[in-house]
Amino acid sequence: MRIYRAKDYEDMSRKAANILSAQVILKPNSVLGLATGESPLGVYRQLVEWYRKGDLDFSGVTAINLDEYQGLAPDAAQSYRRFMWENFFSRINIRPENLHIPDGLAEDAQAECERYEAVIRGAGGIDMQLLGLGHNGHIGFNEPGAAFEKETHRVALTQSTIEANSRFFGRSADGQGLAEQMPSHAYTMGIRSIMQARRILVIVSGARKAEIVKRAFFGAITPEVPASVLQLHNDVTLVADATALEQL
Ligand code: F6R
């Protein structure tokens, strides 16, 4: 595993964007596995800026996102499809037919998971998978205890993930996230789908994640810390800012 120490969030975002850019420049028809959340926002901003300057071309790129809430329409304010569209896809020249995100409204969950795995296989597998790291060590929505051998599947979100993400679903008068508005389940690529990516790029920022960074990358490899499985992958790059690395 390579570890790049960034000064702060902006520096982490630029370094990770550089790695993704190199991937796209060297292989214009790259298949990128992408993530949502706060961590990659700066990466997407930086890639958009370089695209606008004419330095990057996404017309041959295929994007396959990690996960989506079950029960949310594609255009729902909190859907990951909408997040990706607003923060990245609508600002670059990626082709709409090359965008893939699980369908939160699919009627048959099992069929949707199989369809999604077929999409990944049909694209020839993922060249570079971008990952954020959950406070509890989750990657995608693979929560602690998730079997390492799973492919795309439907998961029940844990209380800690509901607490971490409920802020995106509105806030009550006392500032708490509206957990009751949040879907209880999601579709996620499984650990196995993630581990099959040829290269993995993990981005982490902030002191809140310092302990889980240590456990995930230097602790025991266990389903209790899903990201710890990444220690077994032969091409992982971790770009983290100084505060996220402060316990190493
Ligand atoms: C997002 C995803 C999640 C996040 C993780 C970290 O598609 O799959 O695993 O990467 O929850 O979220 P942030 O970046 O918001 O701290």
Side-chain angles (χ1 to χ4, degrees):
M1 180 177 54
R2 284 173 294 275
I3 304 181
Y4 290 101
R5 177 186 291 265
K7 285 196 287 290
D8 50 23
Y9 180 84
E10 287 310 315
D11 190 31
M12 173 200 81
S13 302
R14 240 186 344 268
K15 284 183 163 59
N18 261 307
I19 294 169
L20 279 159
S21 296
Q23 172 69 40
V24 171
I25 290 166
L26 291 170
K27 187 177 179 204
N29 62 346
S30 285
V31 178
L32 302 180
L34 296 177
T36 60
E38 270 177 39
S39 308
L41 276 175
V43 176
Y44 297 147
R45 266 198 301 273
Q46 184 63 75
L47 291 173
V48 168
E49 192 184 316
W50 288 334
Y51 163 72
R52 287 191 177 144
K53 283 188 179 150
D55 292 339
L56 280 174
D57 175 11
F58 291 91
S59 60
V61 167
T62 295
I64 305 186
N65 262 76
L66 275 169
D67 41 17
E68 177 62 285
Y69 291 111
Q70 189 186 25
L72 290 191
D75 59 349
Q78 300 86 1
S79 81
Y80 283 174
R81 179 173 283 274
R82 177 140 171 202
F83 175 100
M84 290 305 295
W85 182 253
E86 288 181 352
N87 291 298
F88 194 35
F89 297 150
S90 65
R91 298 163 186 236
I92 57 173
N93 65 336
I94 194 161
R95 296 201 167 106
E97 63 272 27
N98 290 351
L99 306 178
H100 303 281
I101 300 186
D103 176 2
L105 293 184
E107 282 182 11
D108 181 339
Q110 183 55 32
E112 176 58 10
C113 296
E114 285 165 19
R115 181 193 72 81
Y116 210 64
E117 281 300 317
V119 163
I120 300 173
R121 275 196 302 279
I126 293 169
D127 290 304
M128 181 172 279
Q129 175 67 55
L130 178 65
L131 294 177
L133 177 65
H135 295 102
N136 58 5
H138 75 205
I139 47 177
F141 274 129
N142 295 284
E143 302 284 16
F148 283 166
E149 65 272 19
K150 279 208 170 148
E151 296 193 324
T152 300
H153 60 293
R154 172 181 176 268
V155 282
L157 303 179
T158 61
Q159 197 52 37
S160 93
T161 295
I162 291 175
E163 276 161 24
N165 288 7
S166 61
R167 64 190 191 281
F168 298 114
F169 289 79
R171 283 187 195 274
S172 58
D174 60 359
Q176 296 296 308
L178 293 181
E180 66 279 7
Q181 301 287 330
M182 224 183 118
S184 56
H185 288 76
Y187 290 105
T188 183
M189 277 187 205
I191 298 278
R192 185 184 166 108
S193 336
I194 293 171
M195 288 294 280
Q196 282 171 346
R198 287 182 268 281
R199 302 175 69 197
I200 294 182
L201 174 59
V202 191
I203 49 175
V204 195
S205 164
R208 302 171 297 136
K209 302 249 179 102
E211 192 195 333
I212 196 66
V213 165
K214 185 174 165 199
R215 288 177 64 204
F217 296 103
F218 296 92
I221 299 171
T222 161
E224 290 316 310
V225 183
S228 65
V229 74
L230 300 173
Q231 295 178 42
L232 299 174
H233 193 283
N234 64 8
D235 194 334
V236 174
T237 302
L238 168 65
V239 183
D241 67 11
T243 53
L245 294 176
E246 70 191 8
Q247 291 200 17
L248 300 190

